[in-house]
Amino acid sequence: MTQTDRRGIAISSAAPTSLEKLEQATDLTASYFVDPLATIDAALEADPTFAAGHCLRAALALMSSERGALPILEQSVSAVEALGGRANERERMHAAAGRAWLGGDFARAIQLYGDIVVEYPRDLLAVQVAHVGDFFLGQSTLLRDRMAQVLPHWNEEVPGYGYVLGMYAFGLEETANYAGAEATGRRALELNPRDPWAVHAVAHVMEMQDRQRDGIAWLGEGTASWSEGSFFAVHNWWHLALFHLEAGDT
């Protein structure tokens, strides 16, 4: 049996609690807030055959880019592979991308996540992994164009739309469309104030435009929304420190 998540993506599990945990963990992953791994592990403890849960666990390990996370990635990929046809096509595509990463072919892994995004543009997890992977690989044009490709499939009625806008804002900034990036990032935060990646995208614009005082105000006034319980906080704190240093506030 299958269910569908809030974005219409098929999940090969009949357990409502598994889907509920997946939704929570997906949102925590997209927002960089704690603790998606603990959330999805709880779902997998109750249902070890929950393929989508293993996919999310694999994605977390991959995006960490840490060698110490490779055993988690291997366990999760192997679990989906062992399910065979009990995992749906999209879930098997996630496992194939993770297997490529384990083999050291990082570009191929991100390409495979990108293939998922083409076929399933509302797969928020695949969208995020592809975006983070483009960042790892320095693919600035894809940071923009991959998000532009999926945006027609999203709107304000689709849960997670703000996160996609935040990623698009970063892609616009990385390709020097600073006005578009700032406007898109601000719109993302209107929809979802707790999106450190969108905060980060706008901070990048201000950094590139030498707007230290704007950057200090931007990050300083919204500290509570991006710093408490966020894996991404250390990077935004670094941006705030950089603005102060550039302004001479040593």
Side-chain angles (χ1 to χ4, degrees), residues 12 17 23 43 78 84 150 159 177 220 232 241:
S12 59
T17 54
E23 297 280 20
S78 295
V150 304
N177 183 344
F232 206 75

Side-chain angles (χ1 to χ4, degrees), residues 55-109:
C55 292
L56 190 142
R57 195 169 183 264
L60 289 170
L62 189 154
M63 287 191 290
S64 78
S65 70
E66 295 288 340
R67 184 175 295 276
L70 290 179
I72 294 176
L73 181 56
E74 171 63 46
Q75 293 162 7
S76 300
V77 168
S78 295
V80 178
E81 291 171 340
L83 289 169
R86 287 183 290 169
N88 65 34
E89 179 187 35
R90 184 188 60 83
E91 292 158 349
R92 295 194 302 271
M93 291 173 76
H94 271 265
R99 180 60 68 191
W101 187 275
L102 284 165
D105 194 344
F106 307 132
R108 174 67 175 159

